[in-house]
Amino acid sequence: MAGLGAWNLARAALIILLLPRSLEQCGHISLSAPIVRLGDPITASCTISQNCSHLDSESHIVWKLEAELQPGERQQYLPNGTLQSTITLPHLNRSRALLSCCLHWGNSLQILDQAELQAGYPPATPHNLSCLMNLTTNSLTCQWEPGPNTHLSTNFTLKSFKSRGNCQSREDSIPDCVPEDGQSHCSIPRKHLQLYQNMGIWVQAKNALGTSVSPKLCLVPMDVVKLEPPTLWALGPSPEVAPPQPGCLRLRWETWKPSLHIDQKCELRHQPLLGEASWDLVGALPSRTLQYELCGLLPSTAYALQMRCTRWRLPGHWSNWSPSLELTTTQRAPTVRMDTWWRQRQLDPRTVDVQLFWQPVPLEEDSRQIQGYLVSLRPSDQAGADPILCNTTELNCTFQLPSEAREVILEAYNTAGTSHPTPVVFLESGGPPLGRLHTVARDPHSLWVGWEPPSPQPRGYVIEWGLGPPSPSGSPKTWRMEHNGSIAGTLLQENIRPFQLYEITVTPLYQDTKGPSQHIYAYSQEMAPSHGPELHLRHIGKTWAQLEWVPEAPELGRSPLTHYTIFWTNAQDRSFSTVLNASSHSFVLRGLEPSSLYHVHLMAASQVWATNSTSLTLMTLALEESELHILLGLFGLLVLLICLCGAAQLCCRPSRKNPLWPSVPDPAHSSLGSWVPTITTEWLGQISEMNQALTPHPYVQDTFQLPSLRDSSMPPITKITVLEEEEKKPGPWESNDSSGTCGLPSLVQAYVLQGDPRVPRMQPQPQSGTSDQVLYVQVLGSPTGPRPGHYLRCDSTQPLLGGLTPSPKSYENLWFQTSPLGTPEPLVPNPEDDCIFEPLLDFPLLQGLRVSGVEGLGGF
């Protein structure tokens, strides 16, 4: 931080040196406080004197914090003529920053003055104060933790005084100890100390924002003394002293000379050089004894040893650990158990060739240092021992014995001696055999072998395994002994490779005999079938093909087949497939197209792999000419049958026949009266209701009265059409028949009276959509006006008569009405309607109907 402040000051000085001479004494910055807490506000003012030649009425002071422009709060001219600008920074979040007061000079911004702003925190209370008396430097060294960074220059001072009580009163003051910059420890020289007198010690921290002190520490310098570590040495052999026991080390040490007059206690720790073992600590060693024998270690193992010491019976600090001393323990005779197995071969009646195998099982962790093995007829430590049969470092040995020999001795040895003798008794085969022997491949590198334990229960088993045929008979085998006779299987994981055939032998061991060996062959991982069966075409037809294949014989080491999959593809590259079980040897492809090419192949799959067989290409047979004729004939009969059925349905149903041949009445031989039956008295009530319903119609100016229906001269009314202004829901007596409207606007409501009311209505009249009669016109009339009736010609899709009747003479046209002025008044058609209004004169059909019809319809 101090370096950063010096750099800022140097930069400010350089900027001032570069200013024009006329601006050197123009401005000055004043601060409310040079140092504030981090995050607190700070106020600064910049004053430009009146003698500044470049000051005018439009001059404006600009503030910059480092390289950032800052808005000034206010700018004013003081009574003495100086210009002053003030700025307040609400939150100073930088520990150090350079504030500049600037003025525009031509086209550039010139710095008039600069001030360095500092922000930080008051010093935290120092803690964890501790002191050590170092007899090497003859000084009391104290250290502490200063706390978090204050971002300000903070001074630490170690203060102390002498006291005879519990540091409650001061006797003599001790000069302050000031550490170097950045250090948190300080040493008080011996000349200012009383080694056996209490001292009060504390640390004071001070910076521009405050002062803090640590809690006082009261101590006696000699109670906090820290000794130097001793020096370790190996204790060499001596004629007067017996050599160390196996697993033991002898060492000695020398204490630090300035501490010879101090009673001490020491600790020793040791750790094996090899491996990742932790340090083992040995308790307090006698203070006056300068040598020690460490036992309980591993034989023939290198160790690292270290020692430290402290004051005995008085307070003090432990010294540092001494430099390591490396020593190696002596060897111990092997302590192992030998698992043995053998094979015998009779060479001649008096000699037996024996191949002995063994596996050492350490009984203790320190029994692995074995240099070799001895095989003899008697133990080597007995007098008159026979010559050694084998002396080897291997785990097997081959030797010859007399036929009557039944036992040999096996021993392991090293430089410290031999192990306990292990007798090897050659047992005869006389025990019960094992039950069912079976194996399972757990993974490519292991095999599980299981069996059914015999009765009585054996004391153990010997399992041997090795590569099976066609490997040489003398290839090495791996073996293992299981001492638990109650188990029914074991997992073999040593020397197992995938896709290999192994021969496994299990022999039960009894107390004085052994059972017969059982053999089994197994693969650690089975391979896929070497090739799939060959596919053949047996028969073929137009839409089918029969395939067959001969299943392959099972192969040793090959996984058995689980299923077949047949794939076939047509000429359009459409693929099909089916799955068959492993017992299938033929299949019929059905649903094929005649005279088509197909590609077929067979895939044989097992639990491990899948193998494709040979591909087969086949073509189905083509259809014969007679078959084509039969198919075409059947197709023609089908089309003819469909046509006959359609024609029968069209002719038999009137609803289908009417659109083609409509039933149109002949106007020359019919009358309007004959179409509608005479209205009886039963309809009087309905007509009365109609009359009432028509009275309030918005288009009726006067009351509209229907003619007397009892009048025989009144022709029957076939339809009454009323134009309404608004759509109104029809009453219960209104007909829903809309066939006669012929697409009239929705404002037209039709009330129809059909049939003879005097005749009982046994069944409903057919709808207009199915009626044989065709309505070509509707009669529209104004009930109150004197104007004649008009006729609405419809856009019917049904055809009119082929031949029209000739137009009547003028005197025959009784329907033609004239206006009161005596001139015909044609009806102007409404373009919004779907129908065209025409006078009767333009409709020959109605003219014919009028001539032959009932008289007296004028005006309606």
Side-chain angles (χ1 to χ4, degrees), residues 445-498:
H445 298 278
S446 65
L447 279 170
W448 170 265
V449 55
W451 57 83
E452 294 180 1
S455 181
Q457 179 176 304
R459 62 177 178 88
Y461 302 93
V462 174
I463 301 98
E464 297 178 273
W465 67 94
L467 293 176
S471 62
S473 59
S475 59
K477 292 189 176 184
T478 306
W479 68 280
R480 186 171 73 205
M481 179 175 287
E482 295 289 347
H483 295 275
N484 185 3
S486 61
I487 64 173
T490 183
L491 184 64
L492 309 180
Q493 294 177 299
E494 302 175 34
N495 300 327
I496 301 293
R497 293 179 297 172

Side-chain angles (χ1 to χ4, degrees), residues 373-707:
Y373 301 92
L374 296 175
V375 179
S376 60
L377 294 176
R378 292 184 179 85
S380 58
D381 56 352
Q382 292 184 5
D386 293 336
I388 301 298
L389 298 177
C390 285
N391 185 357
T392 180
T393 58
E394 303 294 333
L395 296 179
N396 61 84
C397 177
T398 302
F399 51 87
Q400 295 179 359
L401 287 177
S403 300
E404 62 273 9
R406 291 293 178 265
E407 181 180 354
V408 294
I409 301 298
L410 176 63
E411 297 173 307
Y413 67 89
N414 57 20
T415 56
T418 60
S419 65
H420 185 74
T422 300
V424 181
V425 179
F426 303 116
L427 302 177
E428 297 290 340
S429 296
L434 291 174
R436 186 177 63 91
L437 189 64
H438 58 277
T439 61
V440 176
R442 293 290 181 86
D443 55 67
H445 298 278
S446 65
L447 279 170
W448 170 265
V449 55
W451 57 83
E452 294 180 1
S455 181
Q457 179 176 304
R459 62 177 178 88
Y461 302 93
V462 174
I463 301 98
E464 297 178 273
W465 67 94
L467 293 176
S471 62
S473 59
S475 59
K477 292 189 176 184
T478 306
W479 68 280
R480 186 171 73 205
M481 179 175 287
E482 295 289 347
H483 295 275
N484 185 3
S486 61
I487 64 173
T490 183
L491 184 64
L492 309 180
Q493 294 177 299
E494 302 175 34
N495 300 327
I496 301 293
R497 293 179 297 172
F499 309 116
Q500 298 293 329
L501 178 64
Y502 287 91
E503 179 185 7
I504 304 172
T505 304
V506 181
T507 305
L509 301 179
Y510 299 93
Q511 190 63 35
D512 297 322
T513 184
K514 66 176 182 177
S517 300
Q518 301 288 332
H519 303 269
I520 192 173
Y521 293 90
Y523 277 88
S524 57
Q525 185 178 11
E526 294 179 328
M527 293 182 289
S530 57
H531 57 276
E534 187 174 357
L535 193 61
H536 299 281
L537 178 63
R538 185 172 183 179
H539 298 290
I540 191 168
K542 302 178 184 62
T543 59
W544 59 273
Q546 184 178 6
L547 307 175
E548 67 175 3
W549 60 91
V550 178
E552 296 292 331
E555 299 180 69
L556 191 61
R558 307 287 180 176
S559 179
L561 298 180
T562 57
H563 62 275
Y564 295 102
T565 304
I566 296 180
F567 302 90
W568 66 96
T569 307
N570 59 14
Q572 290 76 30
D573 288 335
R574 292 185 59 189
S575 298
F576 309 90
S577 64
T578 185
V579 179
L580 308 174
N581 55 37
S583 61
S584 302
H585 56 82
S586 64
F587 183 72
V588 177
L589 303 180
R590 301 186 183 278
L592 307 181
E593 297 179 1
S595 187
S596 298
L597 189 67
Y598 288 88
H599 299 279
V600 186
H601 72 271
L602 178 68
M603 183 180 70
S606 65
Q607 294 181 350
V608 183
W609 304 98
T611 303
N612 290 332
S613 69
T614 56
S615 298
L616 182 65
T617 301
L618 55 89
M619 177 174 284
T620 54
L621 301 179
L623 292 176
E624 298 179 359
E625 186 176 358
S626 59
E627 294 177 343
L628 290 175
H629 292 166
I630 293 175
L631 290 178
L632 292 176
L634 292 176
F635 181 73
L637 290 176
L638 180 62
V639 172
L640 180 61
L641 181 61
I642 293 175
C643 294
L644 292 177
C645 291
Q649 184 180 14
L650 189 62
C651 295
C652 295
R653 297 187 60 180
S655 60
R656 301 299 181 184
K657 182 180 67 175
N658 191 47
L660 297 179
W661 303 284
S663 176
V664 179
D666 186 2
H669 300 86
S670 63
S671 64
L672 185 63
S674 62
W675 292 358
V676 181
T678 306
I679 300 174
T680 61
T681 309
E682 298 176 1
W683 282 37
L684 291 177
Q686 298 182 10
I687 297 301
S688 177
E689 292 177 1
M690 292 172 58
N691 188 23
Q692 295 176 6
L694 293 174
T695 301
H697 195 277
Y699 287 138
V700 178
Q701 301 297 330
D702 298 326
T703 303
F704 176 78
Q705 297 294 337
L706 292 173

Side-chain angles (χ1 to χ4, degrees), residues 247-266:
C248 293
L249 292 175
R250 289 179 179 174
L251 69 154
R252 63 182 182 90
W253 64 91
E254 292 180 358
T255 59
W256 183 49
K257 290 183 179 180
S259 63
L260 291 176
H261 63 282
I262 301 176
D263 291 339
Q264 304 177 28
K265 64 178 180 180
C266 301

